[in-house]
């Protein structure tokens, strides 16, 4: 019985890459499946597809004259498959990757053998270049397996699923709107899907992922604007997932600014590149005309908000903001950037492990050691120091006494 459906979204592609991808899918150890190839705005690809597929009755082709993006192509393909009630398992494949002969068999077997609540399985993969040369040695593959083998909760922090996966159609039909939020439509979809089901990792390489091939999405994300668009969508996917699941932000990050410079822009970009993402960033605009807000809103982020304090003293504005916060932790930023993308994650991990006698964690000047503030440690509030919010309020109230408190 045919219970497996596959979608291949196809825009422009090198003929040799498409040929290798289709050959690898059509020659799987599992031969019974339905496949929908969605040609998305590249009619010149139709003759090539037809020559490669021939009269294979398993394959159906849908073609659009105008490119409408990967999410639309995927939703089109899966809508076709949903019409067949026999289809229980789904996956989609890229037109430039190469799939090992047991790719479908192993993933399908894992879903079949798993409990009812298991809805998504995924495996490791090997990266290759345009000449089919493997890019990862055994050390790198081992590191990837460790990264992907994290528990389901880690999916809120990063896209551990990767590019080799299969899921149950019964859960896919629950996802409102299907695929969306390009160019992170896959990651966003895994977060939506796992609102309803569990996941399982299979630590074996089942396919070869072609890195930055000529027409790939990743190759198109090299400019600053494209990277910002990707980063915004990546953060939004996580932000929306936490909101759906009732997970409140953990950290409030405050960045008080009176002017905007290249250094300012570098600093906020540096924050947005942190691995830890469950925060709200408050930009405190101290300018007289809100030009700080106008400038930084050009670098969008779903978890940034803007508070205006025209011509206020910085410490007074910071205290007024901190008093209104509901997050358990707060950090006051300066223009000195994080040295490592893991800095914020490490600081909050250490504060979580500490007793309530520890008020904050911070990096020492050489960034080699984490420092801890206690009630007995009398020193100024440090920028880039992660505080328990109530303790920070106490310290700031002492600090602004000589300035005057507007409240």
């Amino acid at each position: 019985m045919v219970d497996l459906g596959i979608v291949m979204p196809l825009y422009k592609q090198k003929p040799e890459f498409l040929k290798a991808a289709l050959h690898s899918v059509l020659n799987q150890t599992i031969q019974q499946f339905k496949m929908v190839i969605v040609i998305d705005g590249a009619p010149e690809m139709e003759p090539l597809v037809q020559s490669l597929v021939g009269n294979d009755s398993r394959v159906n082709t849908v073609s659009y004259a105008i490119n409408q993006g990967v999410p639309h192509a995927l939703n089109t393909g899966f809508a076709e498959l949903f019409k067949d009630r026999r289809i229980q398992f789904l996956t989609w494949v890229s037109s430039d990757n190469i799939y090992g002969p047991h790719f479908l068999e192993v993933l399908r077997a894992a879903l079949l053998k798993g409990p009812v609540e298991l809805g998504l399985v995924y495996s490791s993969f090997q990266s290759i270049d345009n000449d089919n040369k493997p890019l990862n040695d055994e050390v790198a593959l081992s590191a990837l397996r460790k990264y992907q083998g994290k528990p389901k909760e880690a999916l809120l922090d990063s896209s551990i699923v990767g590019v080799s996966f299969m899921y149950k159609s019964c859960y896919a039909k629950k996802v409102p709107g299907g695929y969306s939020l390009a160019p992170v439509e896959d990651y966003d979809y895994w977060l939506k899907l796992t609102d309803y089901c569990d996941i399982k990792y299979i630590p074996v390489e089942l396919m070869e992922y072609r890195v930055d091939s000529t027409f790939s999405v990743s190759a198109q994300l090299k400019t600053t604007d494209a990277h910002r668009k990707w980063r915004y969508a990546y953060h939004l996917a996580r932000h929306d997932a936490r909101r759906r699941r009732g997970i409140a932000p953990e950290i409030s990050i405050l960045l008080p600014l009176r002017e905007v410079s290249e250094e300012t822009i570098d600093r906020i970009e540096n924050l947005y590149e942190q691995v830890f993402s469950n925060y709200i960033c408050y930009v405190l605009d101290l300018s007289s005309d809100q030009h700080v807000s106008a400038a930084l809103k050009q670098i969008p982020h779903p978890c940034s908000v803007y508070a205006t304090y025209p011509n206020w003293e910085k410490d007074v504005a910071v205290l007024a903001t901190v008093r209104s916060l509901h997050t358990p932790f707060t950090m006051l930023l300066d223009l000195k950037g994080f040295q490592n993308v893991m800095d914020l994650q490490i600081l909050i991990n250490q504060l979580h492990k500490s007793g309530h006698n520890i008020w904050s964690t911070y990096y020492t000047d050489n960034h080699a050691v984490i420092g801890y503030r206690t009630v007995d440690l009398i020193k100024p509030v440090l920028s880039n120091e992660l505080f328990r919010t109530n303790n920070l309020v106490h310290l700031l109230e002492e600090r602004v006494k000589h300035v005057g408190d507007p409240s």
Side-chain angles (χ1 to χ4, degrees):
M1 182 182 76
V2 176
D3 61 6
L4 173 59
I6 307 167
V7 174
M8 174 184 281
L10 174 60
Y11 185 41
K12 298 177 181 179
Q13 190 54 266
K14 283 189 172 184
E16 60 268 32
F17 292 171
L18 179 59
K19 180 179 180 180
L22 275 174
H23 183 270
S24 68
V25 174
L26 297 177
N27 290 280
Q28 291 284 304
T29 54
I30 286 183
Q31 282 289 290
Q32 289 188 309
F33 55 79
K34 294 183 71 172
M35 183 176 187
V36 182
I37 301 175
V38 182
I39 303 175
D40 185 27
E44 68 273 17
M45 301 301 295
E46 292 183 34
L48 177 60
V49 170
Q50 185 57 48
S51 69
L52 295 172
V53 173
N55 297 319
D56 195 323
S57 61
R58 298 172 298 175
V59 182
N60 181 32
T61 301
V62 179
S63 185
Y64 289 98
I66 299 174
N67 178 260
Q68 299 180 63
V70 175
H72 181 268
L74 290 173
N75 290 336
T76 297
F78 287 117
E80 287 294 313
L81 293 173
F82 286 155
K83 294 176 183 178
D84 188 338
R85 295 185 178 181
R86 298 174 301 168
I87 301 297
Q88 300 179 44
F89 309 109
L90 301 168
T91 189
W92 62 271
V93 296
S94 295
S95 61
D96 56 355
N97 294 335
I98 300 174
Y99 298 84
H102 299 282
F103 168 73
L104 296 178
E105 180 184 356
V106 172
L107 295 176
R108 178 179 175 275
L111 285 172
L112 273 173
K113 295 176 183 177
V116 173
E117 59 270 20
L118 177 63
L120 169 65
V121 295
Y122 61 103
S123 81
S124 186
F125 55 92
Q126 172 65 277
S127 296
I128 59 174
D129 63 16
N130 282 356
D131 297 317
N132 298 331
K133 178 182 177 181
L135 299 178
N136 294 329
D137 59 15
E138 185 53 41
V139 173
L141 289 175
S142 178
L144 176 61
R145 294 183 200 118
K146 182 178 180 181
Y147 167 77
Q148 289 190 279
K150 296 175 182 178
K152 174 183 173 181
E153 292 73 24
L155 191 58
L156 277 170
D157 298 315
S158 58
S159 187
I160 58 176
V161 173
V163 292
S164 176
F165 49 82
M166 187 178 290
Y167 50 99
K168 291 178 180 176
S169 62
C170 61
Y171 292 114
K173 292 174 182 177
K174 294 176 180 286
V175 176
Y179 285 88
S180 59
L181 200 59
V184 298
E185 60 280 330
D186 51 352
Y187 180 44
D188 179 57
Y189 190 84
W190 308 142
L191 289 170
K192 292 175 181 176
L193 186 71
T194 53
D195 286 344
Y196 306 101
C197 67
D198 288 336
I199 66 176
K200 180 180 180 180
Y201 173 57
I202 303 170
V204 61
E205 290 72 44
L206 295 177
M207 53 85 67
E208 295 176 329
Y209 167 63
R210 201 178 299 278
V211 177
D212 290 342
S213 68
T214 306
F215 297 109
S216 67
V217 173
S218 57
Q220 301 169 27
L221 298 177
K222 301 302 183 183
T223 67
T224 298
D225 286 345
H227 179 72
R228 285 175 177 172
K229 179 182 177 182
W230 171 86
R231 186 178 62 201
Y232 176 85
Y234 188 52
H235 279 283
L236 182 59
R238 294 182 286 186
H239 175 69
D240 285 349
R242 291 189 177 105
R243 185 170 53 189
R244 290 193 305 270
R245 299 175 190 184
I247 300 173
E250 275 198 283
I251 302 177
S252 293
I253 296 176
L254 278 58
L255 180 58
L257 296 168
R258 203 173 300 277
E259 297 293 339
V260 177
S261 64
E262 287 298 322
E263 190 179 13
T264 307
I265 292 172
D266 289 345
R267 182 61 178 111
I268 204 156
E269 295 264 21
N270 171 266
L271 167 64
Y272 295 165
E273 294 294 328
Q274 283 290 295
V275 168
F276 183 85
S277 63
N278 192 19
Y279 60 78
I280 300 177
C281 174
Y282 292 88
V283 176
L284 310 186
D285 187 346
L286 309 180
S287 68
S288 59
D289 58 359
Q290 300 183 32
H291 73 269
V292 169
S293 300
L296 293 187
K297 284 179 180 178
Q298 302 305 307
I299 310 172
H301 192 280
C303 300
S304 285
V305 296
Y306 292 82
T308 57
Y309 297 95
N311 299 319
W312 282 41
E313 292 292 334
K314 182 183 79 171
D315 288 349
V316 179
V318 168
L319 177 57
T321 304
V322 174
R323 280 174 169 167
S324 69
L325 300 179
H326 300 287
T327 57
F329 308 106
T330 300
M331 174 179 281
L332 176 63
L333 294 189
D334 61 13
L335 296 184
K336 182 180 179 182
F338 295 111
Q339 292 189 31
N340 188 285
V341 294
M342 288 295 296
D343 281 355
L344 197 53
Q345 183 70 66
I346 291 171
L347 289 176
I348 195 168
N349 286 349
Q350 294 306 114
L351 200 49
H352 275 307
K353 295 175 183 177
S354 304
H356 282 273
N357 62 311
I358 301 298
W359 283 24
S360 73
T361 54
Y362 56 91
Y363 280 98
T364 56
D365 290 339
N366 63 3
H367 202 264
V369 178
I370 292 179
Y372 298 86
R373 181 192 291 264
T374 66
V375 65
D376 300 321
L377 182 59
I378 307 300
K379 63 184 298 185
V381 172
L382 301 175
S383 295
N384 309 330
E385 180 177 2
L386 183 61
F387 275 93
R388 300 185 194 276
T389 301
N390 59 333
N391 297 136
L392 179 58
V393 170
H394 174 78
L395 291 174
L396 290 175
E397 286 176 341
E398 293 298 316
R399 188 159 113 175
V400 302
K401 279 182 179 178
H402 70 285
V403 178
D405 186 345
S407 66

